[in-house]
PDB file of all heavy atoms in Angstrom:
ATOM      1  N   ARG A   1      99.480  96.840  89.941  1.00 98.00           N
ATOM      2  CA  ARG A   1      99.917  98.230  90.085  1.00 98.00           C
ATOM      3  C   ARG A   1     100.798  98.632  88.911  1.00 98.00           C
ATOM      4  O   ARG A   1     101.432  97.797  88.269  1.00 98.00           O
ATOM      5  CB  ARG A   1     100.666  98.432  91.399  1.00 98.00           C
ATOM      6  CG  ARG A   1     102.001  97.697  91.501  1.00 98.00           C
ATOM      7  CD  ARG A   1     102.573  97.821  92.905  1.00 98.00           C
ATOM      8  NE  ARG A   1     103.870  97.169  93.024  1.00 98.00           N
ATOM      9  CZ  ARG A   1     104.529  97.025  94.166  1.00 98.00           C
ATOM     10  NH1 ARG A   1     104.004  97.495  95.312  1.00 98.00           N
ATOM     11  NH2 ARG A   1     105.708  96.427  94.198  1.00 98.00           N
ATOM     12  N   GLN A   2     100.809  99.941  88.676  1.00 98.00           N
ATOM     13  CA  GLN A   2     101.624 100.474  87.593  1.00 98.00           C
ATOM     14  C   GLN A   2     102.287 101.762  88.061  1.00 98.00           C
ATOM     15  O   GLN A   2     101.600 102.736  88.388  1.00 98.00           O
ATOM     16  CB  GLN A   2     100.786 100.731  86.344  1.00 98.00           C
ATOM     17  CG  GLN A   2     101.606 101.123  85.138  1.00 98.00           C
ATOM     18  CD  GLN A   2     100.807 101.075  83.853  1.00 98.00           C
ATOM     19  OE1 GLN A   2      99.567 101.069  83.859  1.00 98.00           O
ATOM     20  NE2 GLN A   2     101.501 101.002  82.728  1.00 98.00           N
ATOM     21  N   ALA A   3     103.605 101.727  88.105  1.00 97.00           N
ATOM     22  CA  ALA A   3     104.391 102.903  88.466  1.00 97.00           C
ATOM     23  C   ALA A   3     104.728 103.682  87.195  1.00 97.00           C
ATOM     24  O   ALA A   3     104.725 103.117  86.100  1.00 97.00           O
ATOM     25  CB  ALA A   3     105.669 102.484  89.184  1.00 97.00           C
ATOM     26  N   PRO A   4     105.014 104.966  87.315  1.00 93.00           N
ATOM     27  CA  PRO A   4     105.345 105.763  86.126  1.00 93.00           C
ATOM     28  C   PRO A   4     106.504 105.170  85.342  1.00 93.00           C
ATOM     29  O   PRO A   4     107.539 104.819  85.914  1.00 93.00           O
ATOM     30  CB  PRO A   4     105.722 107.122  86.731  1.00 93.00           C
ATOM     31  CG  PRO A   4     105.002 107.186  88.019  1.00 93.00           C
ATOM     32  CD  PRO A   4     104.988 105.783  88.543  1.00 93.00           C
ATOM     33  N   GLY A   5     106.311 105.029  84.052  1.00 95.00           N
ATOM     34  CA  GLY A   5     107.355 104.502  83.194  1.00 95.00           C
ATOM     35  C   GLY A   5     107.546 103.004  83.253  1.00 95.00           C
ATOM     36  O   GLY A   5     108.467 102.474  82.616  1.00 95.00           O
ATOM     37  N   LYS A   6     106.692 102.318  84.005  1.00 97.00           N
ATOM     38  CA  LYS A   6     106.815 100.860  84.136  1.00 97.00           C
ATOM     39  C   LYS A   6     105.546 100.172  83.677  1.00 97.00           C
ATOM     40  O   LYS A   6     104.491 100.786  83.575  1.00 97.00           O
ATOM     41  CB  LYS A   6     107.130 100.484  85.585  1.00 97.00           C
ATOM     42  CG  LYS A   6     108.477 100.978  86.085  1.00 97.00           C
ATOM     43  CD  LYS A   6     108.783 100.429  87.454  1.00 97.00           C
ATOM     44  CE  LYS A   6     110.167 100.857  87.932  1.00 97.00           C
ATOM     45  NZ  LYS A   6     110.486 100.309  89.276  1.00 97.00           N
ATOM     46  N   GLU A   7     105.665  98.885  83.430  1.00 97.00           N
ATOM     47  CA  GLU A   7     104.508  98.097  83.036  1.00 97.00           C
ATOM     48  C   GLU A   7     103.667  97.738  84.258  1.00 97.00           C
ATOM     49  O   GLU A   7     104.161  97.701  85.384  1.00 97.00           O
ATOM     50  CB  GLU A   7     104.960  96.824  82.316  1.00 97.00           C
ATOM     51  CG  GLU A   7     105.658  97.070  80.998  1.00 97.00           C
ATOM     52  CD  GLU A   7     105.953  95.786  80.246  1.00 97.00           C
ATOM     53  OE1 GLU A   7     105.757  94.707  80.828  1.00 97.00           O
ATOM     54  OE2 GLU A   7     106.376  95.866  79.091  1.00 97.00           O
ATOM     55  N   ARG A   8     102.396  97.475  83.998  1.00 98.00           N
ATOM     56  CA  ARG A   8     101.518  97.032  85.070  1.00 98.00           C
ATOM     57  C   ARG A   8     101.981  95.648  85.553  1.00 98.00           C
ATOM     58  O   ARG A   8     102.307  94.771  84.733  1.00 98.00           O
ATOM     59  CB  ARG A   8     100.076  96.966  84.573  1.00 98.00           C
ATOM     60  CG  ARG A   8      99.055  96.797  85.662  1.00 98.00           C
ATOM     61  CD  ARG A   8      97.630  96.941  85.123  1.00 98.00           C
ATOM     62  NE  ARG A   8      97.392  98.283  84.576  1.00 98.00           N
ATOM     63  CZ  ARG A   8      96.189  98.697  84.184  1.00 98.00           C
ATOM     64  NH1 ARG A   8      95.135  97.909  84.298  1.00 98.00           N
ATOM     65  NH2 ARG A   8      96.051  99.910  83.694  1.00 98.00           N
ATOM     66  N   GLU A   9     101.991  95.474  86.872  1.00 98.00           N
ATOM     67  CA  GLU A   9     102.477  94.219  87.427  1.00 98.00           C
ATOM     68  C   GLU A   9     101.517  93.687  88.483  1.00 98.00           C
ATOM     69  O   GLU A   9     100.781  94.437  89.125  1.00 98.00           O
ATOM     70  CB  GLU A   9     103.861  94.405  88.060  1.00 98.00           C
ATOM     71  CG  GLU A   9     103.888  95.359  89.234  1.00 98.00           C
ATOM     72  CD  GLU A   9     105.257  95.477  89.886  1.00 98.00           C
ATOM     73  OE1 GLU A   9     106.235  94.905  89.359  1.00 98.00           O
ATOM     74  OE2 GLU A   9     105.354  96.137  90.933  1.00 98.00           O
ATOM     75  N   LEU A  10     101.575  92.383  88.656  1.00 98.00           N
ATOM     76  CA  LEU A  10     100.762  91.721  89.666  1.00 98.00           C
ATOM     77  C   LEU A  10     101.221  92.123  91.061  1.00 98.00           C
ATOM     78  O   LEU A  10     102.420  92.195  91.340  1.00 98.00           O
ATOM     79  CB  LEU A  10     100.900  90.202  89.513  1.00 98.00           C
ATOM     80  CG  LEU A  10     100.378  89.346  90.660  1.00 98.00           C
ATOM     81  CD1 LEU A  10      98.859  89.286  90.617  1.00 98.00           C
ATOM     82  CD2 LEU A  10     100.959  87.942  90.589  1.00 98.00           C
ATOM     83  N   VAL A  11     100.260  92.359  91.946  1.00 98.00           N
ATOM     84  CA  VAL A  11     100.559  92.563  93.357  1.00 98.00           C
ATOM     85  C   VAL A  11     100.113  91.325  94.140  1.00 98.00           C
ATOM     86  O   VAL A  11     100.905  90.682  94.813  1.00 98.00           O
ATOM     87  CB  VAL A  11      99.861  93.815  93.910  1.00 98.00           C
ATOM     88  CG1 VAL A  11     100.119  93.946  95.416  1.00 98.00           C
ATOM     89  CG2 VAL A  11     100.325  95.055  93.164  1.00 98.00           C
ATOM     90  N   ALA A  12      98.834  91.003  94.041  1.00 98.00           N
ATOM     91  CA  ALA A  12      98.299  89.846  94.756  1.00 98.00           C
ATOM     92  C   ALA A  12      96.950  89.479  94.179  1.00 98.00           C
ATOM     93  O   ALA A  12      96.215  90.346  93.687  1.00 98.00           O
ATOM     94  CB  ALA A  12      98.154  90.136  96.251  1.00 98.00           C
ATOM     95  N   THR A  13      96.622  88.189  94.221  1.00 98.00           N
ATOM     96  CA  THR A  13      95.312  87.713  93.801  1.00 98.00           C
ATOM     97  C   THR A  13      94.780  86.710  94.806  1.00 98.00           C
ATOM     98  O   THR A  13      95.555  86.087  95.563  1.00 98.00           O
ATOM     99  CB  THR A  13      95.360  87.044  92.418  1.00 98.00           C
ATOM    100  OG1 THR A  13      96.210  85.896  92.488  1.00 98.00           O
ATOM    101  CG2 THR A  13      95.853  87.992  91.345  1.00 98.00           C
ATOM    102  N   VAL A  14      93.458  86.558  94.803  1.00 97.00           N
ATOM    103  CA  VAL A  14      92.810  85.546  95.641  1.00 97.00           C
ATOM    104  C   VAL A  14      91.627  84.998  94.856  1.00 97.00           C
ATOM    105  O   VAL A  14      90.834  85.750  94.297  1.00 97.00           O
ATOM    106  CB  VAL A  14      92.367  86.133  97.002  1.00 97.00           C
ATOM    107  CG1 VAL A  14      91.447  87.335  96.841  1.00 97.00           C
ATOM    108  CG2 VAL A  14      91.710  85.064  97.865  1.00 97.00           C
ATOM    109  N   SER A  15      91.538  83.685  94.807  1.00 95.00           N
ATOM    110  CA  SER A  15      90.444  83.060  94.076  1.00 95.00           C
ATOM    111  C   SER A  15      89.219  82.929  94.971  1.00 95.00           C
ATOM    112  O   SER A  15      89.291  83.111  96.194  1.00 95.00           O
ATOM    113  CB  SER A  15      90.867  81.674  93.580  1.00 95.00           C
ATOM    114  OG  SER A  15      90.903  80.750  94.666  1.00 95.00           O
ATOM    115  N   SER A  16      88.095  82.576  94.358  1.00 92.00           N
ATOM    116  CA  SER A  16      86.864  82.376  95.110  1.00 92.00           C
ATOM    117  C   SER A  16      86.960  81.171  96.035  1.00 92.00           C
ATOM    118  O   SER A  16      86.142  81.024  96.948  1.00 92.00           O
ATOM    119  CB  SER A  16      85.678  82.224  94.162  1.00 92.00           C
ATOM    120  OG  SER A  16      85.949  81.261  93.176  1.00 92.00           O
ATOM    121  N   THR A  17      87.986  80.326  95.827  1.00 92.00           N
ATOM    122  CA  THR A  17      88.207  79.185  96.717  1.00 92.00           C
ATOM    123  C   THR A  17      89.219  79.497  97.806  1.00 92.00           C
ATOM    124  O   THR A  17      89.540  78.628  98.620  1.00 92.00           O
ATOM    125  CB  THR A  17      88.683  77.957  95.920  1.00 92.00           C
ATOM    126  OG1 THR A  17      89.905  78.298  95.248  1.00 92.00           O
ATOM    127  CG2 THR A  17      87.648  77.537  94.888  1.00 92.00           C
ATOM    128  N   GLY A  18      89.759  80.728  97.789  1.00 93.00           N
ATOM    129  CA  GLY A  18      90.674  81.141  98.837  1.00 93.00           C
ATOM    130  C   GLY A  18      92.149  81.006  98.522  1.00 93.00           C
ATOM    131  O   GLY A  18      92.994  81.289  99.371  1.00 93.00           O
ATOM    132  N   LEU A  19      92.474  80.582  97.318  1.00 96.00           N
ATOM    133  CA  LEU A  19      93.879  80.433  96.935  1.00 96.00           C
ATOM    134  C   LEU A  19      94.471  81.816  96.669  1.00 96.00           C
ATOM    135  O   LEU A  19      93.925  82.590  95.898  1.00 96.00           O
ATOM    136  CB  LEU A  19      93.985  79.570  95.687  1.00 96.00           C
ATOM    137  CG  LEU A  19      95.393  79.230  95.218  1.00 96.00           C
ATOM    138  CD1 LEU A  19      96.089  78.343  96.248  1.00 96.00           C
ATOM    139  CD2 LEU A  19      95.339  78.531  93.862  1.00 96.00           C
ATOM    140  N   THR A  20      95.596  82.104  97.313  1.00 97.00           N
ATOM    141  CA  THR A  20      96.233  83.408  97.163  1.00 97.00           C
ATOM    142  C   THR A  20      97.563  83.311  96.418  1.00 97.00           C
ATOM    143  O   THR A  20      98.212  82.266  96.404  1.00 97.00           O
ATOM    144  CB  THR A  20      96.484  84.071  98.532  1.00 97.00           C
ATOM    145  OG1 THR A  20      97.325  83.208  99.318  1.00 97.00           O
ATOM    146  CG2 THR A  20      95.176  84.314  99.268  1.00 97.00           C
ATOM    147  N   ASN A  21      97.939  84.429  95.828  1.00 98.00           N
ATOM    148  CA  ASN A  21      99.203  84.527  95.113  1.00 98.00           C
ATOM    149  C   ASN A  21      99.734  85.941  95.314  1.00 98.00           C
ATOM    150  O   ASN A  21      98.974  86.906  95.181  1.00 98.00           O
ATOM    151  CB  ASN A  21      99.008  84.237  93.623  1.00 98.00           C
ATOM    152  CG  ASN A  21     100.310  84.285  92.851  1.00 98.00           C
ATOM    153  OD1 ASN A  21     101.324  83.793  93.316  1.00 98.00           O
ATOM    154  ND2 ASN A  21     100.285  84.885  91.671  1.00 98.00           N
ATOM    155  N   TYR A  22     101.025  86.055  95.648  1.00 98.00           N
ATOM    156  CA  TYR A  22     101.633  87.355  95.910  1.00 98.00           C
ATOM    157  C   TYR A  22     102.882  87.541  95.061  1.00 98.00           C
ATOM    158  O   TYR A  22     103.638  86.598  94.816  1.00 98.00           O
ATOM    159  CB  TYR A  22     102.048  87.484  97.384  1.00 98.00           C
ATOM    160  CG  TYR A  22     100.908  87.541  98.364  1.00 98.00           C
ATOM    161  CD1 TYR A  22     100.407  86.379  98.954  1.00 98.00           C
ATOM    162  CD2 TYR A  22     100.328  88.762  98.722  1.00 98.00           C
ATOM    163  CE1 TYR A  22      99.377  86.427  99.866  1.00 98.00           C
ATOM    164  CE2 TYR A  22      99.291  88.819  99.640  1.00 98.00           C
ATOM    165  CZ  TYR A  22      98.820  87.651 100.203  1.00 98.00           C
ATOM    166  OH  TYR A  22      97.785  87.712 101.110  1.00 98.00           O
ATOM    167  N   ALA A  23     103.130  88.778  94.684  1.00 98.00           N
ATOM    168  CA  ALA A  23     104.416  89.115  94.088  1.00 98.00           C
ATOM    169  C   ALA A  23     105.483  88.985  95.171  1.00 98.00           C
ATOM    170  O   ALA A  23     105.234  89.289  96.340  1.00 98.00           O
ATOM    171  CB  ALA A  23     104.386  90.534  93.538  1.00 98.00           C
ATOM    172  N   ASP A  24     106.670  88.572  94.775  1.00 98.00           N
ATOM    173  CA  ASP A  24     107.751  88.405  95.751  1.00 98.00           C
ATOM    174  C   ASP A  24     108.031  89.705  96.499  1.00 98.00           C
ATOM    175  O   ASP A  24     108.367  89.685  97.692  1.00 98.00           O
ATOM    176  CB  ASP A  24     109.022  87.930  95.054  1.00 98.00           C
ATOM    177  CG  ASP A  24     108.933  86.481  94.603  1.00 98.00           C
ATOM    178  OD1 ASP A  24     108.060  85.753  95.114  1.00 98.00           O
ATOM    179  OD2 ASP A  24     109.734  86.089  93.738  1.00 98.00           O
ATOM    180  N   SER A  25     107.866  90.818  95.816  1.00 97.00           N
ATOM    181  CA  SER A  25     108.229  92.111  96.407  1.00 97.00           C
ATOM    182  C   SER A  25     107.300  92.532  97.542  1.00 97.00           C
ATOM    183  O   SER A  25     107.642  93.423  98.320  1.00 97.00           O
ATOM    184  CB  SER A  25     108.233  93.190  95.328  1.00 97.00           C
ATOM    185  OG  SER A  25     106.957  93.288  94.727  1.00 97.00           O
ATOM    186  N   VAL A  26     106.127  91.901  97.653  1.00 98.00           N
ATOM    187  CA  VAL A  26     105.174  92.305  98.692  1.00 98.00           C
ATOM    188  C   VAL A  26     104.916  91.206  99.720  1.00 98.00           C
ATOM    189  O   VAL A  26     104.204  91.433 100.704  1.00 98.00           O
ATOM    190  CB  VAL A  26     103.832  92.769  98.084  1.00 98.00           C
ATOM    191  CG1 VAL A  26     104.065  93.853  97.040  1.00 98.00           C
ATOM    192  CG2 VAL A  26     103.048  91.606  97.499  1.00 98.00           C
ATOM    193  N   LYS A  27     105.478  90.033  99.514  1.00 98.00           N
ATOM    194  CA  LYS A  27     105.263  88.935 100.461  1.00 98.00           C
ATOM    195  C   LYS A  27     105.727  89.331 101.864  1.00 98.00           C
ATOM    196  O   LYS A  27     106.797  89.889 102.034  1.00 98.00           O
ATOM    197  CB  LYS A  27     106.018  87.683  99.996  1.00 98.00           C
ATOM    198  CG  LYS A  27     105.364  86.966  98.842  1.00 98.00           C
ATOM    199  CD  LYS A  27     106.159  85.729  98.440  1.00 98.00           C
ATOM    200  CE  LYS A  27     105.486  85.013  97.280  1.00 98.00           C
ATOM    201  NZ  LYS A  27     106.277  83.838  96.818  1.00 98.00           N
ATOM    202  N   GLY A  28     104.874  89.019 102.824  1.00 97.00           N
ATOM    203  CA  GLY A  28     105.198  89.353 104.207  1.00 97.00           C
ATOM    204  C   GLY A  28     104.799  90.758 104.608  1.00 97.00           C
ATOM    205  O   GLY A  28     104.816  91.092 105.801  1.00 97.00           O
ATOM    206  N   ARG A  29     104.447  91.592 103.638  1.00 98.00           N
ATOM    207  CA  ARG A  29     104.048  92.978 103.937  1.00 98.00           C
ATOM    208  C   ARG A  29     102.587  93.230 103.585  1.00 98.00           C
ATOM    209  O   ARG A  29     101.911  93.998 104.278  1.00 98.00           O
ATOM    210  CB  ARG A  29     104.941  93.960 103.171  1.00 98.00           C
ATOM    211  CG  ARG A  29     106.409  93.844 103.488  1.00 98.00           C
ATOM    212  CD  ARG A  29     107.208  94.975 102.838  1.00 98.00           C
ATOM    213  NE  ARG A  29     107.130  94.963 101.388  1.00 98.00           N
ATOM    214  CZ  ARG A  29     106.683  95.980 100.651  1.00 98.00           C
ATOM    215  NH1 ARG A  29     106.278  97.099 101.229  1.00 98.00           N
ATOM    216  NH2 ARG A  29     106.653  95.897  99.326  1.00 98.00           N
ATOM    217  N   PHE A  30     102.114  92.633 102.514  1.00 98.00           N
ATOM    218  CA  PHE A  30     100.742  92.848 102.044  1.00 98.00           C
ATOM    219  C   PHE A  30      99.912  91.595 102.305  1.00 98.00           C
ATOM    220  O   PHE A  30     100.421  90.473 102.219  1.00 98.00           O
ATOM    221  CB  PHE A  30     100.718  93.132 100.542  1.00 98.00           C
ATOM    222  CG  PHE A  30     101.318  94.447 100.126  1.00 98.00           C
ATOM    223  CD1 PHE A  30     102.030  95.241 101.012  1.00 98.00           C
ATOM    224  CD2 PHE A  30     101.163  94.892  98.825  1.00 98.00           C
ATOM    225  CE1 PHE A  30     102.580  96.450 100.624  1.00 98.00           C
ATOM    226  CE2 PHE A  30     101.703  96.100  98.409  1.00 98.00           C
ATOM    227  CZ  PHE A  30     102.421  96.870  99.300  1.00 98.00           C
ATOM    228  N   THR A  31      98.634  91.803 102.584  1.00 98.00           N
ATOM    229  CA  THR A  31      97.706  90.686 102.780  1.00 98.00           C
ATOM    230  C   THR A  31      96.435  90.959 101.994  1.00 98.00           C
ATOM    231  O   THR A  31      95.805  92.008 102.153  1.00 98.00           O
ATOM    232  CB  THR A  31      97.349  90.508 104.263  1.00 98.00           C
ATOM    233  OG1 THR A  31      98.546  90.287 105.024  1.00 98.00           O
ATOM    234  CG2 THR A  31      96.428  89.309 104.435  1.00 98.00           C
ATOM    235  N   ILE A  32      96.062  89.993 101.158  1.00 98.00           N
ATOM    236  CA  ILE A  32      94.829  90.114 100.373  1.00 98.00           C
ATOM    237  C   ILE A  32      93.750  89.266 101.034  1.00 98.00           C
ATOM    238  O   ILE A  32      94.034  88.182 101.555  1.00 98.00           O
ATOM    239  CB  ILE A  32      95.067  89.708  98.904  1.00 98.00           C
ATOM    240  CG1 ILE A  32      93.873  90.124  98.042  1.00 98.00           C
ATOM    241  CG2 ILE A  32      95.369  88.214  98.782  1.00 98.00           C
ATOM    242  CD1 ILE A  32      94.145  90.010  96.543  1.00 98.00           C
ATOM    243  N   SER A  33      92.524  89.766 101.004  1.00 97.00           N
ATOM    244  CA  SER A  33      91.408  89.022 101.594  1.00 97.00           C
ATOM    245  C   SER A  33      90.144  89.308 100.815  1.00 97.00           C
ATOM    246  O   SER A  33      90.069  90.295 100.073  1.00 97.00           O
ATOM    247  CB  SER A  33      91.223  89.423 103.066  1.00 97.00           C
ATOM    248  OG  SER A  33      90.929  90.799 103.185  1.00 97.00           O
ATOM    249  N   ARG A  34      89.156  88.441 101.005  1.00 95.00           N
ATOM    250  CA  ARG A  34      87.892  88.590 100.283  1.00 95.00           C
ATOM    251  C   ARG A  34      86.714  88.550 101.248  1.00 95.00           C
ATOM    252  O   ARG A  34      86.749  87.857 102.266  1.00 95.00           O
ATOM    253  CB  ARG A  34      87.714  87.459  99.259  1.00 95.00           C
ATOM    254  CG  ARG A  34      88.615  87.530  98.097  1.00 95.00           C
ATOM    255  CD  ARG A  34      88.276  86.521  97.032  1.00 95.00           C
ATOM    256  NE  ARG A  34      86.965  86.787  96.437  1.00 95.00           N
ATOM    257  CZ  ARG A  34      86.647  86.413  95.213  1.00 95.00           C
ATOM    258  NH1 ARG A  34      87.541  85.769  94.474  1.00 95.00           N
ATOM    259  NH2 ARG A  34      85.448  86.652  94.732  1.00 95.00           N
ATOM    260  N   ASP A  35      85.691  89.271 100.874  1.00 91.00           N
ATOM    261  CA  ASP A  35      84.388  89.183 101.525  1.00 91.00           C
ATOM    262  C   ASP A  35      83.432  88.682 100.443  1.00 91.00           C
ATOM    263  O   ASP A  35      82.962  89.442  99.608  1.00 91.00           O
ATOM    264  CB  ASP A  35      83.952  90.543 102.063  1.00 91.00           C
ATOM    265  CG  ASP A  35      82.638  90.473 102.810  1.00 91.00           C
ATOM    266  OD1 ASP A  35      81.812  89.576 102.515  1.00 91.00           O
ATOM    267  OD2 ASP A  35      82.408  91.322 103.684  1.00 91.00           O
TER     268      ASP A  35
END
């Protein structure tokens, strides 16, 4: 995501093997999933 006046930053990723990674600011609030 990129907010006005700020750099683009990671929110969350998920690999094809199911490994997930979240920014600290969204942990516990956001959930990433794949189909």
Side-chain angles (χ1 to χ4, degrees):
R1 66 187 182 186
Q2 187 167 18
K6 295 187 177 181
E7 295 186 352
R8 192 172 297 188
E9 63 177 6
L10 167 76
V11 176
T13 62
V14 56
S15 74
S16 51
T17 59
L19 184 66
T20 59
N21 182 42
Y22 292 91
D24 288 342
S25 59
V26 307
K27 284 180 180 177
R29 301 188 298 122
F30 292 10
T31 302
I32 192 169
S33 61
R34 289 188 65 154
D35 183 333

